[in-house]
C-alpha cells in the first residue's frame, strides 16, 4: 500500500521525506475520491477513504517537521478536508476544482428524467462518522504536538543564534491558525463545531 508507513522506512523506499510522502499519497487520495458516490461504490469510497485517512495521518508525525514542507502539508490536509466534505454530501469529485460537486442529472430530449437518472445514494453511516470523528480528533492533537518539534533546538547544538525564530516564521505563514482550523469543514458538516453533535439528517436550528 502506498500509505503503508513501512514503505517509508525501507532503504529502497522513495518516501523517505514528508514532501515525497505527500506527493505519493495525494495521487492515491485523488483516485479514491473519483469513485462515484452511488450505491455500493459510495460505500467503497467511504471505506477506502477512512483507511487512507487513518494510515496517512498516523504516518505524518513520524517525519521530521521542516518549515519548507508546512505549506505543502496544509494544502494536502485542506484537500483531504474537502474530500471528506464531498463524501459526506454524496458529491462527485471534480479533479480540476479539487472539491465536491453535485452530480449532473441526465435528461431525455423532451426534458424528462431518465429512469435511472437518480441512482441509489448511500449516506455515510453513523458508525463511519464516529470513526472519522475519532481519527480527525486524534490526528489534530498529534499534529499540534508534531508542530511543536519545530521549536526544539537540534540535539547537540551549542549555538542557537543562527537558528531561525521559528515562532515568528510560523506566525508570518499563519500556520498556527491553519492548524487550529484543521478539518473544520468536515467536523462542521458532521455538527462537531460549536459543541453540538448532530446525527445524520439533522439540521442546526438558527436563532
Amino acid at each position: 500500500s502506498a500509505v503503508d508507513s513501512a514503505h517509508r522506512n525501507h532503504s529502497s523506499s522513495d518516501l523517505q521525506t514528508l514532501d515525497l510522502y505527500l506527493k505519493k499519497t495525494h495521487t492515491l487520495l485523488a483516485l479514491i475520491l473519483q469513485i462515484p458516490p452511488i450505491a455500493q461504490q459510495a460505500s467503497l469510497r467511504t471505506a477506502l477513504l477512512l483507511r487512507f485517512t487513518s494510515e496517512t495521518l498516523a504516518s505524518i508525525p513520524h517525519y521530521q517537521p521542516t518549515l519548507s514542507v508546512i505549506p505543502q502539508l496544509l494544502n494536502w490536509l485542506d484537500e483531504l478536508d474537502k474530500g471528506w466534505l464531498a463524501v459526506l454530501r454524496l458529491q462527485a469529485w471534480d479533479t480540476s476544482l479539487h472539491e465536491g460537486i453535485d452530480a449532473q442529472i441526465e435528461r431525455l430530449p423532451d426534458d424528462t428524467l431518465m429512469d435511472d437518472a437518480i441512482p441509489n445514494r448511500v449516506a455515510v453511516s453513523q458508525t463511519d462518522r464516529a470513526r472519522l470523528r475519532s481519527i480527525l480528533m486524534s490526528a489534530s492533537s498529534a499534529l499540534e504536538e508534531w508542530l511543536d518539534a519545530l521549536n526544539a533546538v537540534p540535539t547537540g547544538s551549542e549555538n542557537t543564534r543562527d537558528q531561525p525564530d521559528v515562532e515568528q516564521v510560523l506566525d508570518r505563514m499563519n500556520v498556527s491558525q491553519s492548524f487550529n482550523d484543521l478539518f473544520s469543514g468536515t467536523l462542521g458538516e458532521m455538527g462537531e463545531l460549536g459543541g453540538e453533535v448532530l446525527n445524520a439528517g439533522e439540521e442546526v436550528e438558527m436563532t
Side-chain angles (χ1 to χ4, degrees):
S1 170
V3 298
D4 189 342
S5 59
H7 286 298
R8 186 187 70 249
N9 297 321
H10 194 279
S11 60
S12 62
S13 174
D14 61 347
L15 307 179
Q16 292 289 331
T17 61
L18 182 54
D19 62 323
L20 292 176
Y21 182 75
L22 294 176
K23 290 176 183 177
K24 189 77 171 182
T25 53
H26 181 267
T27 300
L28 182 55
L29 173 61
L31 289 175
I32 293 173
L33 291 174
Q34 289 177 68
I35 298 174
I38 55 175
Q40 289 85 358
Q41 295 180 78
S43 298
L44 174 63
R45 183 169 72 160
T46 299
L48 290 176
L49 192 57
L50 272 173
R51 178 180 177 183
F52 173 90
T53 302
S54 177
E55 293 185 3
T56 53
L57 293 182
S59 295
I60 288 172
H62 292 287
Y63 286 95
Q64 180 66 34
T66 61
L67 285 173
S68 61
V69 80
I70 294 299
Q72 181 186 358
L73 173 61
L74 289 173
N75 287 335
W76 187 97
L77 292 170
D78 182 62
E79 185 150 339
L80 178 61
D81 187 31
K82 291 178 179 177
W84 271 115
L85 269 179
V87 171
L88 292 169
R89 294 172 177 174
L90 305 179
Q91 293 178 318
W93 183 252
D94 189 304
T95 56
S96 298
L97 298 175
H98 300 284
E99 62 183 28
I101 58 172
D102 293 328
Q104 296 295 317
I105 298 177
E106 297 184 40
R107 293 178 178 272
L108 297 173
D110 61 357
D111 204 37
T112 59
L113 292 175
M114 296 177 62
D115 291 339
D116 59 350
I118 306 178
N120 180 32
R121 297 195 177 193
V122 180
V124 178
S125 69
Q126 287 299 313
T127 299
D128 286 341
R129 284 169 177 257
R131 183 184 173 197
L132 173 60
R133 183 182 302 118
S134 176
I135 292 171
L136 297 185
M137 293 296 192
S138 298
S140 295
S141 298
L143 287 172
E144 287 179 6
E145 294 180 6
W146 175 81
L147 187 63
D148 288 341
L150 278 172
N151 294 311
V153 178
T155 302
S157 176
E158 298 180 355
N159 185 358
T160 62
R161 289 179 297 179
D162 294 333
Q163 299 294 328
D165 190 325
V166 176
E167 289 189 7
Q168 290 185 7
V169 174
L170 293 179
D171 286 341
R172 288 198 297 269
M173 296 168 64
N174 200 31
V175 167
S176 296
Q177 184 60 47
S178 296
F179 271 84
N180 288 336
D181 293 338
L182 283 181
F183 314 118
S184 59
T186 300
L187 294 174
E189 184 72 14
M190 294 193 296
E192 284 299 301
L193 300 182
E196 288 194 58
V197 178
L198 303 180
N199 294 321
E202 290 185 347
E203 296 181 356
V204 178
E205 182 176 344
M206 304 300 292
T207 57

